[in-house]
Each structure stands twice: as structure tokens, then as C-alpha cells.
Amino acid sequence: MDQLERRLSRGHGVLDSEGLVPIYLGDHLVAPEAFEDWDAVQHTISELERDAAQLPAGPRRVFLEDMFRSLRTAARLFEGEELSFKEKLEGLIGIPAQPIPTDQIEDMKLDIDRVLRRAGYEHGSVAERVARWETEQAIAPDGLEAEFVRLMADAQARTDALIYPTGDYQMRLNTLRGVPFTARCNFNEGQMDLNVDLSFTRAALKHLVAHEVFPGHSTQLLLTRDWAEQGRSTADVLLCTTNAVTGCVQEGIGDQGVHLIDWIEDDGDLLHRALRRLRSATATSAAWYQMGENWPEARVIAYLEEHSYGQRPWIEGRVRFASYPFRGPFIGSYWFGDEAVREVRERTGPEDRRAFIDYLYGQMHSPRSLLMFSPRSSVSA
């Protein structure tokens, strides 16, 4: 599907540059089928759906149902059909088409207030104290690379011990400006792209290293490639970076990365974690207001300025991101993926942790199938 869209569009389709499959490490294992048109794609999906319907009830069947619905929605978009933001959220990504409840967002603000006070930031509004903390704790621009290297070494050691041995894989830091994202796993180039229009505390950079490198996206790519080669996983794990329903859990692994390797060390980490949850929630709501309810951009920006405590380049980047016809709805995948991985992680006891990690990384999931985890369901189909 990815190759067909790229070939037919010749760079003018709806893929927003990343593609349906941004990173694929399976060329030597599974060659893409050559489709001639979208009718052939839809026919193949129908055949796969009939096969999946014969599977016993359980996580594997649920995942495939969600994945095929997602791919059908993507195919409709690539054919040129106009879909509403609601249809994209529910069909392509498999998440609710609605904002995050206001009372939930207000509770997150109270969490931030509590951590700020414990860290000694007691005076001024919450927004003022967040800004003061981020300014005072910001890493100097000329110190970013050295701090990145130190954090990556620590994250890799923890990942090797708790998740998967990553061997001699490393990334370098690549700084950018004027991009709509905060950071990006540029796996094929061996680098973590970082938007230095923003400033970063150590806790913020730590989170990004965990999200993009260890134990996040790079680690997931390394593990799934190896397990597919060894026959430990079904071949669809090679699509772990597909812009489809799998994107939720992919981003959830990244956003839960510091927890997955037991890397919360101090109040700074707790504060950044609370800020990440708030910003993910408000960005999800803002995208809905912008694209689902047609708020003007100025109103969306005002909403994010009031409720996210985010830096201005981040706010403007979220607004740009939401407007992309294909990638825009994926803003919501961060919140819902993070919540799904967090929920399962928090209810998994130490005795079942290995089974949880294998289930999380070693199989492809939608949020629905991930939430069905039990130790018995951890064996790959």
C-alpha cells in the first residue's frame, strides 16, 4: 500500500512525507506485494479479514480486526476520498473522536502544582512556575550533545538489562529548527533529530532519549527485526512503525519508556512526566477542536497557551501537525497509546513483567488488544 501510494501520487499524495510505513526493516524477509490499484488492495484486505474471522476470540483476532479497519480507512484516503476528522480518528487510529474531559485535564494541573511545590516552586500561578522551572533547569545549547550521550549510555544499559540487548547500536544527536515535531527517531540515518527551537531540561531530554532510542522506537525496531528473523514473532511485527492503528502502542512504548526501564530518579523527572501527560492530553483536545469542531487557529493557540503550559514553538508545531490531512489525526495516538501502555504496566506484577515486555514488544497491537494482556496471552500466535 505504501509503495502504491507513493508511485501513484509521485510525491503529491496525502502521506505528509512520512509514508504509511516510515521505517521497514523486513525487505530481506517479506517482499511487498505489487498492487496495481486500490481495488486490488481492498480485495486483499477482504481476503485477510475472512481469514482472521476464523481465529479464536482473543487479542490476536482483535488486533487484526482493528488493523484491517485502519488499512481500509487509509486506502480510502489514498484513493482521494474525503473523510472527516472523526472518521480518521475512529477508523485509521482506533481512538475516540472527542476531546479529553476537562476535569481530567484539571486533575493533571493539580498534580503539576503538587510536584512544583515539593520542588520548591511555591509562588506564582502554575503556568508561571512551570515556565520558571523550565527556564532555570534548561540545558545550555552547547551542552545538549554531551548530555544526550550520557543519557543514551544510561538508557542503553537499563534497556539491555530490562528489555532487550541492543548490542553496539547507537544514535547521534542531530539538531534542527523550524520543524513541527519535538524529536524524531531517524533510524535509517542513525540519529535522533531534535528541534532546538525549544529548550530542554535534563528530564525532558531524558524522556526523548527513552522515547526515540532506548527503550523506545529504536529498541522496538531492533527487537522486532530480530524476532521476525528468528521466527519468534509473526511477520507483521516488521510493521511496528506503520502509520496505522499500531501507531498508538508504538508511541505508548515511547512515552512510557522511562517507566519501562525504571528511570524515574527525582522530582524533575516526576514533574516532566506530569507535564508530558498534560501536554499530550491538551494537544489531543486541541487537534479535535481545530479539525473536528473547526475552531480558528488563534483560538486553538489560545487554548494551548492557557492549558498546556507549553513553549510557543511546541504550540505552533502542534497546530501545524494537526492540519496535515493524513498525519494530523495521529496527535491523539500519543495520549491514548500512553494510557494503554501505562494501564497494563501498572497492573502487571513483577512475576509477570517478562511476559508483559514480550507481549508489548514482540507482537503488534492496537490499544484494544494490548489491554487484553494476561500472562497466558503473551505467547505469540
Side-chain angles (χ1 to χ4, degrees), residues 100-120:
I100 308 305
T102 300
D103 58 352
Q104 199 171 351
I105 287 175
E106 292 303 315
D107 285 344
M108 293 179 216
K109 293 180 182 180
L110 292 176
D111 289 340
I112 292 167
D113 178 43
R114 283 191 287 269
V115 182
L116 281 167
R117 291 182 184 279
R118 192 165 66 234

Side-chain angles (χ1 to χ4, degrees), residues 197-272:
D197 288 333
L198 299 161
S199 65
F200 300 94
T201 64
R202 181 179 183 274
L205 189 61
K206 175 195 282 192
H207 162 79
L208 294 173
V209 168
H211 186 115
E212 309 295 347
V213 194
F214 306 120
H217 298 337
S218 291
T219 303
Q220 191 178 8
L221 284 159
L222 294 168
L223 184 152
T224 53
R225 180 199 62 194
D226 291 351
W227 281 26
E229 288 177 342
Q230 297 162 18
R232 291 187 63 179
S233 295
T234 52
D236 51 281
V237 297
L238 295 165
L239 301 175
C240 66
T241 62
T242 301
N243 284 322
V245 72
T246 52
C248 275
V249 176
Q250 174 195 350
E251 301 301 350
I253 289 172
D255 272 353
Q256 284 287 304
V258 291
H259 296 284
L260 292 170
I261 57 174
D262 192 23
W263 208 17
I264 299 291
E265 300 172 298
D266 53 33
D267 283 341
D269 291 338
L270 291 173
L271 179 53
H272 182 72

Side-chain angles (χ1 to χ4, degrees), residues 43-305:
H43 176 73
T44 298
I45 293 174
S46 294
E47 291 180 330
L48 292 169
E49 286 174 330
R50 285 193 292 271
D51 291 343
Q54 305 306 310
L55 292 172
R60 179 66 176 169
R61 181 169 165 177
V62 165
F63 163 67
L64 290 173
E65 290 171 352
D66 292 344
M67 185 64 166
F68 296 145
R69 185 184 309 113
S70 180
L71 294 178
R72 278 199 184 279
T73 306
R76 290 167 64 194
L77 285 166
F78 300 159
E79 283 185 278
E81 186 175 344
E82 292 287 336
L83 299 183
S84 69
F85 199 67
K86 179 178 187 294
E87 289 173 304
K88 293 175 187 179
L89 291 172
E90 294 176 343
L92 184 64
I93 308 172
I95 61 177
Q98 61 191 35
I100 308 305
T102 300
D103 58 352
Q104 199 171 351
I105 287 175
E106 292 303 315
D107 285 344
M108 293 179 216
K109 293 180 182 180
L110 292 176
D111 289 340
I112 292 167
D113 178 43
R114 283 191 287 269
V115 182
L116 281 167
R117 291 182 184 279
R118 192 165 66 234
Y121 291 81
E122 301 180 6
H123 304 294
S125 68
V126 177
E128 290 168 343
R129 284 179 281 149
V130 167
R132 190 160 68 248
W133 177 76
E134 290 192 321
T135 299
E136 291 177 357
Q137 301 298 321
I139 302 169
D142 61 2
L144 277 171
E145 186 170 4
E147 191 62 44
F148 169 79
V149 170
R150 284 191 291 268
L151 289 168
M152 185 173 60
D154 195 353
Q156 186 168 26
R158 291 171 178 270
T159 298
D160 288 352
L162 295 172
I163 307 293
Y164 185 72
T166 57
D168 59 0
Y169 183 83
Q170 297 273 290
M171 272 195 163
R172 62 185 179 276
L173 187 66
N174 179 48
T175 58
L176 299 170
R177 290 188 180 275
V179 292
F181 55 82
T182 300
R184 182 176 62 184
C185 171
N186 195 338
F187 186 88
N188 292 333
E189 297 297 326
Q191 62 192 29
M192 187 183 93
D193 296 332
L194 186 69
N195 180 0
V196 292
D197 288 333
L198 299 161
S199 65
F200 300 94
T201 64
R202 181 179 183 274
L205 189 61
K206 175 195 282 192
H207 162 79
L208 294 173
V209 168
H211 186 115
E212 309 295 347
V213 194
F214 306 120
H217 298 337
S218 291
T219 303
Q220 191 178 8
L221 284 159
L222 294 168
L223 184 152
T224 53
R225 180 199 62 194
D226 291 351
W227 281 26
E229 288 177 342
Q230 297 162 18
R232 291 187 63 179
S233 295
T234 52
D236 51 281
V237 297
L238 295 165
L239 301 175
C240 66
T241 62
T242 301
N243 284 322
V245 72
T246 52
C248 275
V249 176
Q250 174 195 350
E251 301 301 350
I253 289 172
D255 272 353
Q256 284 287 304
V258 291
H259 296 284
L260 292 170
I261 57 174
D262 192 23
W263 208 17
I264 299 291
E265 300 172 298
D266 53 33
D267 283 341
D269 291 338
L270 291 173
L271 179 53
H272 182 72
R273 177 62 195 148
L275 285 168
R276 281 291 309 158
R277 290 195 75 231
L278 177 68
R279 288 167 180 168
S280 181
T282 53
T284 299
S285 293
W288 173 253
Y289 296 141
Q290 180 180 344
M291 304 304 298
E293 298 187 10
N294 297 314
W295 283 17
E297 284 191 7
R299 186 180 178 190
V300 177
I301 288 172
Y303 168 82
L304 287 170
E305 286 179 333

